Structure formats: C-alpha cells, structure tokens
Amino acid sequence: MKILVAVKQVASLDEDFEMRVDKKDVEEDFLLYDLNEWDDFSLEEAMKIKESSDTEIEVVVVSVGPVRVDESLRKCLAKGADRAIRVWDETIEGSDSIVIGRILAAVAKKEVPDMVFAGVQSSDQAYSSTGISTAAYLDWPHAAVVADLQYKPGSSSAVIRRELEGGMLQEVEINCPAVLTIQLGINKPRYASLRGIKQAAAKPIEEISLADIGLSPADVGAGSSMSRVRRMYIPAKSRAQMIEGTIVEQVAKLIQIINEFKGA
Amino acid sequence: MNNPKEVTRILFENFHPQAIHLFYAFGYAAIAVFIYGCYVQIRKYRRGKPDGSWGELLHRFIDMVKTMVTHRTLVRRDKSAGRAHGLIFLGFVLLFIGTSIITLEYDIIEPLIGVRFWYGNFYLWFSLVLDLAGLGLIGGLIYMMYRRKWLHLPKLDYKRVDRQLGDADFDRSEYRLEDWAFLWSFILIGVTGFILEATRLVWLSGRPSVWDYRMWSPVGALIANIMQTIGVTPEGAGALRSGLWWFHGLLSLTFIAFIPYTKIKHIFTAAASLMFKDPLAGRRLPRVPDEQKVAGYKTITDLTWKNLLHLDACTKCGRCQEACPANAVGAPLSPRDVILSLREFANHTLNAKELPKEAELDIHGKDIGQVFMETLWSCRTCLACVEICPVAIEHVPLIVQMRRNLVEAGEMDPLLEKTLQTIHKTGNSFGESKRKRASWVKALPFEIKDARIEAVDYLWFVGDYASFDPRNQKVTQGFARIMQKAGVDFGLLFEGELNAGNDIRRVGEEGLYEYLATANIQSLDDCEFKSIVTTDPHSYNTIRNEYPDFGGTYEIQHYSTVVKKLIEDGRLQLAKKLNYKVTFHDPCHLGRFNKGYDAPRDILKMLGCELIEMGRTKDNSFCCGAGGGRIWIPDPVGTEKPSQNRMKEAAIIEGLEVFVVSCPKDLTMFEDALKTSGYEGKFIVRELIELIDECMEYDFPEKEVFADVLSLEPHLAS
C-alpha cells in the first residue's frame, strides 16, 4: 500500500524585489522558498492514513525542481514521509503546470501508488491544474478541493467531501486509485521541528532524471507546454480622488478633470 | 572536683542485660530500615540518565557547607523561618554529634582499645552545649508550629493551581499531616530528652558526681528543681525515668528509620542538591546530544539522576511559588507543584523493584503525577523560582526539557508554531525581510560601519525587537547617537545578524536554536572586534552564557556597563540633569540572569534622577511576562497580565514620573500595560537609553530624515 504525495517548493516575495532581466519572473535573489502551504495538508492527510492503519503504508513525496527543493523534501521526511523523490533536468525549466502533471504521472506509473494527493493549488502560481493534469495523464478519477476524506487503505473506493462556493459541501464517492487535490483546513498539519529536519537529512532523497521515468527532453520545457509566460509586472496603480465642495464646485472640478484627461 | 572519671553520664545503669540487648536489637533494626530506604532512593536516582556534575567535588562540597552553615539561602525573604530552621538545624547537628561521640566511646573505642574520654571537663562542656542545642531545637520547632498554625501563609496550604477539586491528586492533606507528624515527633524527642535528663538528676540527687554538676545542664537542672518542688522523690524519678527512657529511645530510633521514607530525608537530599547545584542553571540550558533520538524529557527516566535528586530535595517551602509571575496572575503553574508532581510520579514508578513499562513512565498528560501542557507553557523562564530556591532546585531547565518534547510533538500554541516557522524562514520573529534588519539606520545623520567589512572596537548585536519594532527603533537610534557622540568605534552585522535564539531555546525549539546560534557564531567569527555590545538582555544572555557551548566565546557587555564607563571616563558629557522621580525595573535576563543590577542604577544617579525602588526589585524583580517565548503566545483574555501586575506595584510610588526599563521587550510590554491597567497619564515608561539621550547635546549635521527619528513609525514615514 502506497500513497504518493506531490509537493511543490513555492516562492514568496522579499521586500523591495527586482524583476529578472527578461521580465518574465522576479529575480531569484529576492525570492524566499518554502513548502507550498496546501502540501502541508495533503502530506498530513497521507500521514494520518498511514498512522491509523494496521497495514504497512508507504508515504512517498515527489517534487519536480532543482536542488534547492531538497530542503522542502527534507521537511516532509521530518514529518514522517518514508521516501522522497525529486525529478529534475535542466530542460524542465519553463514547463507549465500541464507538463509538470505529465512528469508526475510518469513518476506515478513507476511507483504504482494506491492514491495520489496534491494540493489544490500552489501559492505562487495558483494554476490549480497540476494535480488534475496528473490524473488526466494517468487516466485516473480525480476530485478537486477535497475538504474531508474517508478512505480505508486497500478499498476500491473512497468517500470525499468537496468544498463548493457558498459554504456548500458535495459528498462524492470516488473509485480508487484516484488523484485528490487537498484543501486547506482538512486537518491540522504537524510541526516539523528543526531537529527532526536535521535528522531527516539521513534519509536519502532519490534524484531521478527524465529517462528514469521514460520521458525525454522533448516531452518537457517551454516548447512542449501549451502555455508560456510572456511577462510579469506590477500594474500601474489606479488613482481615486474624493471631490469636495458644493455641487457646483464638484461639477466644475469634474469637468476640469475630464478635460485634463482628454488633453493627456 | 570529684574524681573526674566519675563525672560523666550514666548510660544503662540498673538495666537488665536483656533490656540492653533488646535496645541494641531495636537500634540495629532501625539502622537496617534506614539503610534499605537509602538503597531504594539511590536505586531510584540510578534509574535516571547520567549527568556530568561530578567535577570539582571538593569545591562543590565547600560551597555546600558554607551555604548550610550560614543558612544564607534559608533566611532570604523569610527571615524568621530561616532563623528558626537555623536553630533546629544547629540543634539537630549538635545533638547528632553528641550522640555519635557517646557511641564512639561506648561501642567502639572503649571495647576495642579500652580508652575513655567522655568524662570530666570534656563531659561537662559537652553537657552544656547539648543542653543549649536542645533548647534551640525546641525553640525553633515551636516557632515552626506557630507559623503553620497561626500565620495562615498561603504558600503552606499546598492548594494546587493546576488541578481542580475532585481531581485524584488535588488533595494535598497528606502533606500537611506529614508536616505535623514531623514537627510533633521531633519536638517530643527534644522535650522527653530534657525531662529524662531532669529525672536522672532527681533520681541521682544523692550522688555528688551527678548532682554537684547539675548546672552544666541548666535546662535539666531547672526541670529537676521544679520536680523536687512539686514533691517528686528520687525513687519516683527513677521509675519515671525507665518508662520515659524507652519512649524517648524508641521514638528517636523510629525517627532515624523513617528518614529515607519521609520529608526528613531532606537533611540528605537538600545537602546533596546544594552540592550538585549548577551555578549557570537556566542561564545556560543543556544541549541535546545529536545522537539522542527524541528531544527533551518524555518519560521520568529521561530525567538525569541530578534532576531526580532535586525533586527529592524540595521541602515545599513555597518560596518559588511566591516569586513566580505566572502564579501571581493565576496561571495554572506553581513551580513547586511541578516538582512535587514529578516527585510523586518518580516515587510511584521508580521505587519499585522492577521498572514499569515505558508507556507508564510518560510524564506528560492529565493523569496523576503528570504535568499538564498548559502548566509547562505558562512558564516565563524568568528564573525567579530557581533563584530563590533555598535548596538549589533547578525548575526552569526541567520545564524547558519537558517543553522540548512538546515542541517535537507539535503540542504548542498555533501562534507560537507560526512564529517558529517564521523565524526559521526569515531569521527574525517579525517575519520581516532580512534586508530590513538595519533599516533603522537610514534615519540617522551619520553612517554606521559594517563590521563584516571593517574591524571595529565594538560589534553591536542589535537583536530582533530593537531592530524591527517601530517603538524600539527610536531607542536603538538613540543608542547609536550616544555611541557616535562618544566617539566609540562600533559597527553592525546588518543583515548578517539573525535572532540570537535566547527565547527560542527557552521555548524548547532546540534545533532552531542550534541553527540560529551556529549561524550567528559563523557571522561573528568572520568579523574583527574587541567586544560585543547589546541593548537586548535576551541576546546578551545567550551570547554570553550559551554560545560558548557552540564554540562562540566572546566578550559581551550590556550597554549599561559601556555607557556608565563612557560617562565616568568623561567621553560622554551630560549637557543637563534630569530631576525625575523614577523607579527601575530589572530585566530578568540582565538582573537575575547575569547580576547586572548596578550599572543602570549608577547611570540613573549620574543623570540626576531620584530612584525609588519597588518592593520587588533586583533578584526578586517581577518578570514582564514576555520571557520564555511567552511574548509570542497570547495571554488568556480577562486575566491580569504580569506586566499589569507590575504597573500596579509601580503606581504605589508617590509622585512617580518615569518607570525606567532597559530591555526592548520590557518597553513593549510595559507601555502596553500602562494603557491597559489605567495608569496612562500618571507616569510614563521609558528605556534608560532615552533618558541618557535626553541629556545629550548633539552636533550632528541636521538632515531632513532626522525628523523621522521622532515619529513613532519611521519605516512608514520613509
């Protein structure tokens, strides 16, 4: 019995950041990396199943990314994951979330898990499609925004509750194996103490290449993606102004602004 | 003098040989019971983990003897009880030595080599000293009885704050019973001893070698006189004596046999506890060995033998509870109850022949003898308990060890958990960018050196609160101006500085502490400087006392010492005098932790302030409530905070103008408490630096941004 948890190391902005020269992203020096918040919850959900089960359950975390991602994977190992896999090849740079899904599906085919968990979305890119595209490439059932999970390891289906708009919940029975994207608040993620993280350094992180999962550079990267980032920027701030005075004064001021705007 | 050989005390006169044998049988039985009890206790201690406190045994022993002889720790904050205990202690020691001398002659030296010495002048002086010792003993015991019965001291009712009525271990009446049994049996031994002496005198009043020397045992002689006056005959006295002799003898032997099983054991455990005392307890917390699987204490056998010994040393005096700021505001923590709970737990599990299963040794939880999570998280690690404990119990290291286990299990306040993650990510508790650490320098009209690039005399370790908190940034800028004005060569680590880790270690996140400490040590080692200076007592403590364990040994000074010297040396001229009426709050980490009581007070005097001390001052200073990571844990709503409690104390001072602090966290805590406790407008809270700053005349070239220094939030203004 195995659960594969797909995780991502996300970036957050430091103060006074600068854009990259190609304007497609923020300069890496100004980014702070950490494990995606949603992934804390999906890992915790897997750990809960592992810890409450009588049978042996292996929790494997997988991520696509460069060496810096090891730090986040180690955090997952500290929280109790049995193994960690990191897929990387220079050619993966620039892949969109659908391609990442393709890579994760290839890992899943190799690992043959009984369940795949992913976060609903990543806090930096927020495409909300990595988990779903993984399911598509695997041709497995999927459910998004899972807020509750009842699953007995080894059984052929699971009952989940999905979070909908307006505080509604949808209860769904889903065939297994399946890909679930886990919503925040489904559980209380445990704390990974720094000592735990340090001790997890002894657990190996498996580095695998595209060839290991039967993919080639032609399957990944910006060229194989169906979407590409053109630029990233901060929109100019819109201005608002309260016009004071009597009605007549306000109208006069308004006309003046319109004229200025037309003139400009 | 009669034949000096005859001037001695009769021992077994008129005793049937069988009676003497019977008495010796009782004596041996008592000693056997005593030895077995000691064996069980020692076996208990040996079930704890090893501890490295065996070094410098002679030095430790001398220190312990000094403390015991002077009763230094016992008279503090409770003079009468300490002195009464001194009388009991002295009486007991002298009477014990006296009895040992008799045994030495009668049972050892005389039978072996036929030499006697217990007669004549030696006996007479012996007799006098022991009479006075007995008198002191009884006097001390009577005061203790009076104190328990009539003084109604809250600390002696053993009411628990961590348990409710109805909980299995709420009731502590057994302790009271034991206290009284101890007092009564002890006083009975003393009183019957005197009566016994008197009956012997009356009984042998016809024998000059006894009667002529009766005034060498004045108390006995006085009682003998009274007996004669009320018509007791020598024969009557003799009959009374034989009955009383057995009562006194058997009670004394029972008392000895009971020592290892009851509170009387403190005569050994308290002494041993004092002997193995760690002078840096709480100031320098123990490291967690890398190979240790689980951090901190989870089971009773995770405690070291020294911890277990400390538990047994507690005499329930309650001084720790009185000093505890958490206890004072109704938090479910009494340092004494933590110790007593663990002691009960240890006695329950570790006194048995076989060690119970691992699961039964867990000290965390809600069951009998277990310590509640809420109790452990209530602690401010202010060290008030450790500092006042007369028998050197180290509560705070024990509490932190238990917290380490809670942290590892994630059993903590969600906000605290968030803060720890933030500190790991950004290196500061404010979650600000590393780059912004020294943004406060922008508002200064001069440049500050980067100690990472050039050598400086003083490396200023600023600390989180002084760097990021807008209100404290004002103070930080003030200190920069003072240093600049005095022409001190100083520099900063800028973004190379991380949170020093003092409070993170006291929370119990040892891994994060190690990360911060080693990173800071790395940065400091790469710089060239003569001394570190800081305005943050928390950073001061950990760099001074704890970094050496990680290979970072530096000279570090609190700013008060540096500024005091600058003024004394004339490098810093005071342009004016302040005639404020002030009081000074000793920060725990400067005062109690590192004995920095004088420099801030000396500076206040130099500034011309009139210093009025609060009731709780210096070593008894009352924690602001921010220590031990509590600044990141919200206090329960609707209850008094320690800082508000402190404001009430300060407000008693007639005409108080300024409540002076010298710690960034104190400034934050007390300015808040001033408002919430309703004393706003009555007096103000100021950092000592601000008062010094006020006395300065600066001639820096005025810059536009300089005005920002005066605004509350310079980073918003810029």
Side-chain angles (χ1 to χ4, degrees), chain B residues 258-432:
Chain B
F258 268 55
I259 289 176
Y261 306 91
T262 57
K263 69 181 273 186
I264 318 172
K265 77 169 101 165
H266 83 271
I267 59 182
F268 295 113
T269 52
S273 177
L274 280 167
M275 178 150 156
F276 290 106
K277 159 196 174 89
D278 174 7
L280 281 176
R283 296 153 178 90
R284 183 209 50 211
L285 290 168
R287 289 191 68 166
V288 179
D290 282 337
E291 65 280 4
Q292 191 175 314
K293 275 197 84 170
V294 189
Y297 293 170
K298 178 163 177 61
T299 63
I300 191 77
T301 46
D302 286 335
L303 273 69
T304 66
W305 61 261
K306 190 175 111 122
N307 295 140
L308 292 169
L309 176 69
H310 282 318
L311 302 182
D312 272 345
C314 177
T315 56
K316 313 189 289 293
C317 74
R319 284 173 167 91
C320 55
Q321 186 178 310
E322 275 185 333
C324 177
N327 191 274
V329 296
L333 166 67
S334 156
R336 176 175 67 185
D337 282 337
V338 173
I339 298 300
L340 293 179
S341 284
L342 290 172
R343 170 156 100 192
E344 287 162 23
F345 194 98
N347 285 339
H348 182 69
T349 51
L350 304 183
N351 275 356
K353 198 158 175 257
E354 296 289 327
L355 205 57
K357 284 193 210 72
E358 178 94 7
E360 287 167 46
L361 298 176
D362 195 340
I363 45 180
H364 296 274
K366 296 269 180 192
D367 271 344
I368 297 175
Q370 290 180 321
V371 182
F372 293 1
M373 193 175 114
E374 303 87 298
T375 300
L376 295 171
W377 285 123
S378 295
C379 177
R380 266 80 178 166
T381 67
C382 73
L383 237 49
C385 51
V386 176
E387 202 272 340
I388 193 58
C389 181
V391 296
I393 295 171
E394 294 157 8
H395 320 65
V396 170
L398 204 54
I399 288 174
V400 173
Q401 287 280 22
M402 292 183 75
R403 279 189 188 179
R404 284 176 177 171
N405 198 260
L406 292 178
V407 168
E408 196 114 300
E411 308 260 17
M412 60 183 132
D413 188 275
L415 275 176
L416 175 63
E417 192 177 313
K418 199 105 207 141
T419 309
L420 294 176
Q421 285 164 342
T422 301
I423 295 171
H424 181 209
K425 205 167 152 182
T426 62
N428 67 75
S429 58
F430 286 75
E432 296 274 11

Side-chain angles (χ1 to χ4, degrees), chain A residues 46-123:
Chain A
M47 288 307 301
K48 271 173 66 188
I49 295 169
K50 177 183 165 77
E51 283 164 356
S52 62
S53 165
D54 304 328
T55 57
E56 188 71 24
I57 292 180
E58 193 182 24
V59 172
V60 182
V61 284
V62 57
S63 189
V64 181
V67 184
R68 62 169 157 77
V69 175
D70 282 355
E71 199 190 326
S72 296
L73 288 174
R74 218 162 275 131
K75 199 167 159 186
C76 298
L77 290 171
K79 290 185 174 200
D82 298 291
R83 277 166 52 217
I85 301 170
R86 182 170 61 80
V87 190
W88 190 240
D89 188 286
E90 291 293 320
T91 53
I92 294 175
E93 189 74 58
S95 300
D96 70 359
S97 54
I98 309 299
V99 169
I100 302 295
R102 181 184 296 157
I103 298 170
L104 291 174
V107 174
K109 278 175 189 155
K110 185 168 173 264
E111 287 288 329
V112 205
D114 298 84
M115 274 286 197
V116 175
F117 292 168
V120 167
Q121 62 181 73
S122 59
S123 58

Side-chain angles (χ1 to χ4, degrees), chain A residues 12 14-15 29-30 32-34 37 71 188-199, chain B residues 288-290 292-293 295 407-408 412 417 420-421 424-425 432-433 435-436 509 511-512 514:
Chain A
S12 60
D14 201 352
E15 303 278 335
D29 281 357
F30 296 92
L32 299 172
Y33 292 103
D34 202 356
E37 197 184 353
E71 199 190 326
K188 187 191 170 290
R190 67 196 61 193
Y191 176 73
S193 76
L194 265 272
R195 258 178 70 81
I197 295 173
K198 214 168 140 190
Q199 284 168 344
Chain B
V288 179
D290 282 337
Q292 191 175 314
K293 275 197 84 170
V407 168
E408 196 114 300
M412 60 183 132
E417 192 177 313
L420 294 176
Q421 285 164 342
H424 181 209
K425 205 167 152 182
E432 296 274 11
S433 163
R435 282 171 233 274
K436 280 185 72 182
E509 213 330 351
L512 184 54
E514 282 178 15

Side-chain angles (χ1 to χ4, degrees), chain B residues 93-379:
Chain B
V93 168
L94 291 174
L95 287 164
F96 181 79
I97 294 174
T99 312
S100 302
I101 288 173
I102 302 174
T103 307
L104 186 69
E105 186 194 271
Y106 188 83
D107 294 318
I108 302 171
I109 295 186
E110 199 184 2
L112 283 182
I113 53 173
V115 175
R116 282 184 60 204
F117 54 84
W118 188 51
Y119 60 82
N121 281 336
F122 176 73
Y123 166 72
L124 291 176
W125 281 106
F126 170 97
S127 185
L128 178 65
V129 168
L130 258 56
D131 240 45
L132 295 177
L135 199 62
L137 176 80
I138 291 172
L141 287 168
I142 288 174
Y143 175 77
M144 290 306 196
M145 288 177 141
Y146 158 76
R147 179 168 176 265
R148 278 190 191 276
K149 181 78 186 162
W150 284 284
L151 288 188
H152 301 293
L153 301 172
K155 63 182 173 185
L156 293 184
D157 74 0
Y158 307 139
K159 193 175 171 312
R160 297 194 66 157
V161 287
D162 56 343
R163 297 292 201 274
Q164 304 291 320
L165 186 70
D167 285 352
D169 48 356
F170 174 78
D171 183 48
R172 285 258 158 100
S173 54
E174 263 180 40
Y175 281 151
R176 278 195 294 277
L177 215 63
E178 190 192 12
D179 292 336
W180 280 108
F182 173 68
L183 286 172
W184 274 113
S185 54
F186 213 168
I187 208 165
L188 272 178
I189 292 172
V191 170
T192 53
F194 277 126
I195 299 176
L196 207 51
E197 186 174 53
T199 56
R200 190 179 64 233
L201 290 173
V202 176
W203 174 43
L204 301 176
S205 55
R207 198 183 288 179
S209 64
V210 173
W211 188 249
D212 291 358
Y213 300 97
R214 65 185 182 282
M215 289 324 280
W216 286 91
S217 38
V219 182
L222 182 71
I223 303 172
N225 263 337
I226 295 169
M227 282 182 165
Q228 285 178 329
T229 317
I230 59 170
V232 178
T233 61
E235 294 72 35
L240 184 60
R241 176 180 180 266
S242 49
L244 209 56
W245 191 95
W246 282 102
F247 179 78
H248 176 82
L250 293 184
L251 189 61
S252 303
L253 289 176
T254 313
F255 191 84
I256 289 167
F258 268 55
I259 289 176
Y261 306 91
T262 57
K263 69 181 273 186
I264 318 172
K265 77 169 101 165
H266 83 271
I267 59 182
F268 295 113
T269 52
S273 177
L274 280 167
M275 178 150 156
F276 290 106
K277 159 196 174 89
D278 174 7
L280 281 176
R283 296 153 178 90
R284 183 209 50 211
L285 290 168
R287 289 191 68 166
V288 179
D290 282 337
E291 65 280 4
Q292 191 175 314
K293 275 197 84 170
V294 189
Y297 293 170
K298 178 163 177 61
T299 63
I300 191 77
T301 46
D302 286 335
L303 273 69
T304 66
W305 61 261
K306 190 175 111 122
N307 295 140
L308 292 169
L309 176 69
H310 282 318
L311 302 182
D312 272 345
C314 177
T315 56
K316 313 189 289 293
C317 74
R319 284 173 167 91
C320 55
Q321 186 178 310
E322 275 185 333
C324 177
N327 191 274
V329 296
L333 166 67
S334 156
R336 176 175 67 185
D337 282 337
V338 173
I339 298 300
L340 293 179
S341 284
L342 290 172
R343 170 156 100 192
E344 287 162 23
F345 194 98
N347 285 339
H348 182 69
T349 51
L350 304 183
N351 275 356
K353 198 158 175 257
E354 296 289 327
L355 205 57
K357 284 193 210 72
E358 178 94 7
E360 287 167 46
L361 298 176
D362 195 340
I363 45 180
H364 296 274
K366 296 269 180 192
D367 271 344
I368 297 175
Q370 290 180 321
V371 182
F372 293 1
M373 193 175 114
E374 303 87 298
T375 300
L376 295 171
W377 285 123
S378 295
C379 177

